[in-house]
Amino acid sequence: NDTNVRGVLLDTKGPEIRSGKLQKDDSGHETIALVQGETITLQTTPERRDEGSTETHLYIDYTSLHKSVQPGMKVLLDDGAIVLSVTSVESNGDVVCSIDNSGELRSRAGVNLPGANTDL
């Protein structure tokens, strides 16, 4: 039998949520330090995107973020290296979080919303 059978495995990449570019990150290699116990505000506005992310205000490229999370939920940054706990969702769409563990965050890090209903 001259049949040549081969299996193929594909990793189909779906939509991803990412943080924004950091302020003053011209090289693409800069990081910011997020400190356990501090507060950080997640924002999805074009103004925050253009201003860049800081230790206190982080741009997230998912405009429905405020509809998908609620207080008590976790937000994982950089494949879970940094964990945030949602403390409040403001009427203007800001999502206020406490930082559960310290870590360095780079530009365009992946964002995971475990248990959240998203429209992606």
Side-chain angles (χ1 to χ4, degrees), residues 16-18 76-83 105-106 109-112:
E16 287 188 319
I17 302 171
R18 293 203 171 271
L76 308 181
L77 304 177
D78 198 13
D79 294 326
I82 301 172
V83 180
L105 187 69
R106 60 183 167 74
V111 177
N112 297 91

Side-chain angles (χ1 to χ4, degrees), residues 21-78:
K21 186 173 183 276
L22 303 178
Q23 273 185 3
K24 303 175 188 167
D25 185 13
D26 297 324
S27 69
H29 301 291
E30 298 299 319
T31 61
I32 55 173
L34 300 185
V35 179
Q36 182 177 0
E38 296 289 322
T39 297
I40 190 164
T41 301
L42 309 182
Q43 297 177 307
T44 61
T45 63
E47 294 80 15
R48 173 52 53 201
R49 180 194 63 219
D50 296 344
E51 288 176 25
S53 295
T54 67
E55 289 88 350
T56 58
H57 294 84
L58 188 65
Y59 173 74
I60 305 295
D61 69 0
Y62 179 52
T63 55
S64 296
L65 179 69
H66 65 288
K67 297 176 189 173
S68 300
V69 298
Q70 57 190 6
M73 292 183 80
K74 299 293 184 186
V75 176
L76 308 181
L77 304 177
D78 198 13

